[in-house]
Amino acid sequence: MARESESGLPIEPVYGPDALDGWDPGARLGEPGGYPYTRGVHPTMYTTRPWTMRQYAGFGTAAESNARYRQLIAHGTTGLSVAFDLPTQMGHDSDAPLAHGEVGKVGVAVDSVEDMRVLFDGIPLDRVSTSMTINAPAALLLLMYQLVGEEQGVPADRLTGTIQNDVLKEYIARGTYIFPPKPSLRLVADLFRYCRAEIPRWNTISISGYHMAEAGASPAQEIAFTLADGIEYVRTALAAGMDVDDFAPRLSFFFVSRTTLLEEVAKFRAARRIWARVMREEFGARNPRSQMLRFHTQTAGVQLTAQQPEVNLVRVAVQGLAAVLGGTQSLHTNSFDEAIALPTEKSARLALRTQQVLAYETDVTATVDPFAGSYVVESMTDELETAALELMAKVEEHGGAVGAIESGFQKGEIERNAYRIARETDSGERVVVGVNRFRLEAEERYEPLRVDPAIEAAQVERLAALRAGRDGRAVEAALSALRKAAEGTEDVLYPMRDALRARATVGEVCGALREVWGTYVPSDAF
Ligand SMILES: CC(C)(COP(=O)(O)OP(=O)(O)OC[C@H]1O[C@@H](n2cnc3c(N)ncnc32)[C@H](O)[C@@H]1OP(=O)(O)O)[C@@H](O)C(=O)NCCC(=O)NCCSC(=O)CCC(=O)O
């Protein structure tokens, strides 16, 4: 009997040549590095350069996070990835009442360019590429990065990295939105335009399926809702008067990788093919780079268990392997203790070592797209493509990604799938090693890393000193120029940069925008 894939598609016990009857490799695959990029975005892929090993990290103060980044670099990480705390992600300062209890918890607290400088102290910004997971206030953090680069003597056109800046999926799955969709999208378009003029090598967005997947989306839903968001961003930038080939080469994506290796490999390949076709056929993109879906992958956090946590090392190795076989550009492998607490230095190192084993001890990097032509993987790639396209058509019926968000479509679909997974896990039909099978009578003790609660007080003190030492009138003038730009149509990033340079804080800059744009209140009751 056929087993069901995570997307609910059948997986047959045996696949043979008949599975690919009439199948045209020229149209479906092309060459590696050639349209429709099913086989990967570069002709040589990992045979000439492995993916970027980019471990997501950050907690406590800027100084503590800086120390962790230096450790990761010393251990061989090849890109940085900054996690910000919730107050920063929501555009609040560390001394705001809403920030209380959350400062430095799930990431680093950054209130102003002063913190940003400490975060990258001793890390030359022209020699590292940095990803920043920040969405509603993405523009602010990018500008602070540029200002720190300036202080280091690094011109903006030498900076490389990625800003998540994907606010649509915040409404669907992640929750750190501030403004309503319309001004949020305007801010995204302003950032695209600004980067083209000022920071041309920067990846201006990381259109993310990861968080939807973590909330319960199936692989087919993950591709469909992510690419539908991508289409909405492309339409927004076009409506703002940009040419598709002026911004599309710097769009990037972000997906999850699970232990269901075959389906995940198929997912990555199908996503590349759909995007290439959409960009070329629907939007008329001519630059090959506009057609390439380049993506980061993180291994699935939801699959990690607090029970027998060392088993997570094995899960992560399989998940990471799936991402590599699927042709990822950049990878974060989770630490085995993530289901319990923030990773310790040792577990973070082990996670990186997992990537190094994949890159340097296995033979999967010796040849491009090793699964090409596989009866099962090509069949699954085609079926996932069809399933995702059907879902994307449904999003269109709702008027595109924003319309579908407003009617709760994606959330509803994801919730339904999450419920299915929960039911299967509860009944034992879905095996989770160490949780519903192969349990231990008594779990061994594990000593997790804890964030020092004194961080909040220290951060509040730093803010008070900053406010006392800056030119208050200059800050006020810059903020009112920002408000004025937000009311009109001018690119808000320029007045925003002036305000941040004058030492305005994250909370103050976002506060000014809240005054003009208001905040988003979800209409549904999920
Ligand atoms: C495009 C990617 C995906 C990867 O960028 P990278 O710089 O790492 O890699 P890259 O662009 O592939 O490679 C760097 C340069 O080498 C070139 N290059 C690479 N391989 C090549 C090959 N085989 N042949 C020729 N050139 C090659 C590329 O073209 C590029 O140059 P050119 O640029 O000149 O072409 C980017 O967006 C990225 O790094 N994303 C990371 C996102 C991330 O870390 N997110 C964390 C989220 S964490 C999160 O959200 C979790 C939970 C939560 O908080 O909710």
Side-chain angles (χ1 to χ4, degrees):
M1 204 188 74
R3 218 175 101 171
E4 261 198 6
S5 77
E6 290 297 294
S7 300
L9 301 166
I11 310 181
E12 302 299 335
V14 180
Y15 286 81
D18 56 322
L20 301 184
D21 224 13
W23 188 81
D24 175 4
R28 302 236 174 209
L29 299 184
E31 298 296 324
Y35 186 83
Y37 303 99
T38 317
R39 302 201 59 189
V41 296
H42 299 293
T44 56
M45 286 302 289
Y46 311 137
T47 62
T48 50
R49 178 194 181 275
W51 60 91
T52 306
M53 299 179 192
R54 192 184 292 287
Q55 295 299 90
Y56 185 51
F59 61 95
T61 61
E64 276 174 290
S65 295
N66 175 267
R68 177 63 66 89
Y69 299 153
R70 288 173 186 234
Q71 280 159 11
L72 281 166
I73 291 169
H75 295 317
T77 199
T78 51
L80 292 178
S81 177
V82 182
F84 294 97
D85 71 357
L86 274 177
T88 308
Q89 294 192 48
M90 297 298 293
H92 296 297
D93 289 334
S94 297
D95 59 0
L98 275 170
H100 186 56
E102 279 298 337
V103 176
K105 283 283 165 62
V106 302
V108 58
V110 171
D111 291 318
S112 75
V113 71
E114 302 285 333
D115 293 330
M116 205 67 164
R117 179 187 314 121
V118 175
L119 193 59
F120 293 101
D121 184 37
I123 300 173
L125 299 192
D126 52 348
R127 299 231 296 274
V128 70
S129 77
T130 302
S131 162
M132 292 186 276
T133 296
I134 190 83
N135 292 279
L140 284 78
L141 278 298
L142 174 63
L143 292 168
M144 288 189 203
Y145 192 83
Q146 185 191 351
L147 293 173
V148 171
E150 226 169 61
E151 289 178 13
Q152 288 190 2
V154 178
D157 61 7
R158 300 272 306 276
L159 298 174
T160 58
T162 302
I163 193 101
Q164 197 164 75
N165 193 29
D166 171 17
V167 74
L168 291 177
K169 64 87 174 62
E170 298 293 331
Y171 303 115
I172 300 173
R174 193 166 174 274
T176 65
Y177 47 77
I178 302 177
F179 317 112
K182 209 165 155 231
S184 294
L185 285 172
R186 177 252 171 112
L187 196 47
V188 169
D190 281 2
L191 190 147
F192 286 3
R193 197 184 294 105
Y194 180 87
C195 282
R196 169 146 173 89
E198 309 279 336
I199 323 180
R201 293 172 68 195
W202 199 266
N203 298 306
T204 52
I205 193 163
S206 179
I207 309 164
S208 310
Y210 180 85
H211 315 88
M212 300 190 225
E214 289 284 282
S218 72
Q221 290 173 335
E222 184 191 1
I223 308 178
F225 297 154
T226 308
L227 300 191
D229 286 351
I231 289 171
E232 190 82 63
Y233 292 121
V234 171
R235 287 181 182 148
T236 302
L238 293 176
M242 296 182 77
D243 183 88
V244 67
D245 287 322
D246 282 348
F247 65 86
R250 283 296 163 197
L251 304 177
S252 70
F253 291 83
F254 171 28
F255 297 110
V256 79
S257 188
R258 305 176 176 81
T259 49
T260 36
L261 182 142
L262 299 177
E263 188 178 13
E264 294 298 273
V265 174
K267 177 184 82 178
F268 298 127
R269 300 171 85 248
R272 269 196 298 270
R273 189 154 73 203
I274 298 175
W275 189 247
R277 293 201 172 130
V278 166
M279 291 310 287
R280 190 159 95 170
E281 286 160 26
E282 198 174 323
F283 294 113
R286 298 268 67 91
N287 184 346
R289 282 173 172 253
S290 303
Q291 304 165 1
M292 293 176 189
L293 182 149
R294 301 167 306 130
F295 69 102
H296 171 74
T297 308
Q298 177 164 339
T299 54
V302 285
Q303 289 191 317
L304 303 188
T305 61
Q307 296 88 336
Q308 302 178 51
E310 294 81 358
V311 179
N312 294 328
L313 282 166
V314 182
R315 293 190 177 100
V316 169
V318 177
Q319 296 163 337
L321 180 61
V324 169
L325 291 169
T328 196
Q329 275 54 66
S330 164
L331 177 62
H332 167 100
T333 35
N334 285 341
S335 297
F336 74 94
D337 49 0
E338 263 172 45
I340 305 170
L342 281 173
T344 60
E345 187 192 340
K346 180 172 178 183
S347 70
R349 190 175 65 229
L350 273 170
L352 176 61
R353 293 285 180 262
T354 308
Q355 295 204 37
Q356 291 162 336
V357 169
L358 289 173
Y360 302 112
E361 289 190 16
T362 76
D363 57 4
V364 296
T365 53
T367 186
V368 177
D369 188 27
F371 269 122
S374 147
Y375 302 129
V376 57
V377 171
E378 295 298 1
S379 302
M380 288 174 92
T381 304
D382 290 357
E383 283 165 17
L384 266 174
E385 180 181 12
T386 307
L389 286 171
E390 279 168 14
L391 266 174
M392 287 167 77
K394 286 194 186 152
V395 173
E396 284 299 305
E397 283 167 23
H398 283 85
V402 170
I405 286 168
E406 282 168 351
S407 58
F409 174 67
Q410 300 96 323
K411 253 186 159 181
E413 293 289 304
I414 294 169
E415 296 255 321
R416 244 189 303 285
N417 198 56
Y419 180 62
R420 175 178 76 108
I421 295 169
R423 240 182 18 228
E424 289 172 3
T425 309
D426 287 348
S427 72
E429 190 186 331
R430 176 183 291 266
V431 175
V432 185
V433 172
V435 176
N436 62 9
R437 273 180 83 179
F438 316 111
R439 278 192 289 237
L440 278 182
E441 295 265 321
E443 290 284 333
E444 289 148 343
R445 258 185 73 76
Y446 182 76
E447 207 40 68
L449 182 118
R450 301 257 178 244
V451 176
D452 184 352
I455 277 163
E456 185 168 329
Q459 197 64 19
V460 168
E461 238 170 72
R462 265 176 77 74
L463 263 173
L466 174 97
R467 292 205 177 100
R470 68 188 183 180
D471 178 349
R473 232 173 283 164
V475 173
E476 251 331 297
L479 289 175
S480 73
L482 173 64
R483 273 187 220 102
K484 205 153 153 260
E487 282 160 9
T489 55
E490 171 197 341
D491 193 324
V492 293
L493 271 78
Y494 292 93
M496 198 182 270
R497 189 175 69 192
D498 293 339
L500 294 166
R501 206 197 296 273
R503 300 297 181 262
T505 65
V506 167
E508 290 160 349
V509 170
C510 286
L513 294 178
R514 278 187 198 98
E515 281 173 41
V516 181
W517 291 341
T519 52
Y520 180 70
V521 183
S523 58
D524 58 58
F526 282 101

